[in-house]
Amino acid sequence: MISGAAKLAGVMGWPISHSKSPILHGYWLDHYHVDGAYIPMSVSPDSLGQAVDGLRALGFKGSNVTVPHKQAIMSYCDIIADDARMIGAVNTLVLAADGHITGSNTDHAGFIDNLRLSDPSWDPKSGTAVVLGAGGAARAVLYGLIRAGAPKIRVANRTLDRARALAEDFAPHVEVVAFSDTAEALADCALLVNTTSLGMMGQPPLDLRLDALPKSALVTDIVYAPLVTPLLAEAMKRGNRTVDGLGMLLHQAVPGFEAWFGVRPAVTQDLREIVLGTK
Ligand code: ATR
């Protein structure tokens, strides 16, 4: 139940009906008895500017921003946080009382917090990370890993030029590997991350031999449908520790909820089951 003083937030996307964010934030609003609401907002690319004016006019505390608006929204922000500038995308808006809008990106923190909480023995400083892919998700992963102190990151991507651009932007931490050489590049790897869409439901699996990967390496996938991707299944079979991608989605939501509603929420097993629809 909400009162006339309820705090408002939501998520803007196009389409939006598939978004899991309303379930996730709705769970926390109930759990912490917050006087607030979080709603899905279907916003076409043509009406993004009007929608932002609407957030201001309606006194929203903020909003999440998802596909296809994560880049376009930047031109409507008064302040763009360093993370969003480096990653090249905004996923969280916070509105100040005077209507000023700060745009930030919480995916990098979601990625790192998920690894830290899922596997407390993981140390980002412990060795080389291999990142597959060079899209928006890879940029968030690189930003997070560099901030957490990763000494060296190898990026392998089908389109080499995209990996090169990323290595330039995140110099001197990143080296580029041809996609066809990925299997060999795993030899001294402490962390393997898939940020490509390979392995996602309806997509081909990632075709990668893990023979060279040390048994001590941690393997994670940002794909979470299915929860156990073929890559994670293969890694588990040979005895590597694995972390699935659902936790990144849950953890990236924490900073927004805290900024809008004033409570830092916890990511729990109960929440995972609610978002997965198994509870
Ligand atoms: P996101 O923002 O989720 O990272 P994206 O920018 O579309 O999405 O990036 C998708 C990633 O998956 C890219 O690294 C892409 O490789 P290219 O840069 O070569 O396009 C990778 N990817 C998608 N399909 C692939 C395939 N069939 N084989 C190899 N890589 C693939």
Side-chain angles (χ1 to χ4, degrees), residues 255-274:
F257 189 93
E258 184 177 23
W260 308 320
F261 301 119
V263 180
R264 188 160 181 89
V267 172
T268 59
Q269 184 60 26
D270 198 37
L271 174 64
R272 273 178 68 89
E273 288 170 23
I274 297 278

Side-chain angles (χ1 to χ4, degrees), residues 151-199:
K152 185 159 62 161
I153 306 166
R154 284 191 196 119
V155 174
N157 193 51
R158 175 180 61 179
T159 309
L160 202 57
D161 279 351
R162 280 185 98 189
R164 287 199 183 113
L166 224 138
E168 212 167 281
D169 289 352
F170 290 93
H173 304 276
V174 178
E175 61 183 46
V176 173
V177 178
F179 207 56
S180 53
D181 296 339
T182 311
E184 292 72 40
L186 301 178
D188 61 345
C189 167
L191 173 72
L192 172 61
V193 187
N194 176 46
T195 77
T196 74
S197 46
L198 295 170

Side-chain angles (χ1 to χ4, degrees), residues 130-150:
V130 174
V131 175
L132 312 176
R139 296 185 78 91
V141 166
L142 289 194
Y143 185 89
L145 285 175
I146 291 167
R147 223 165 140 245

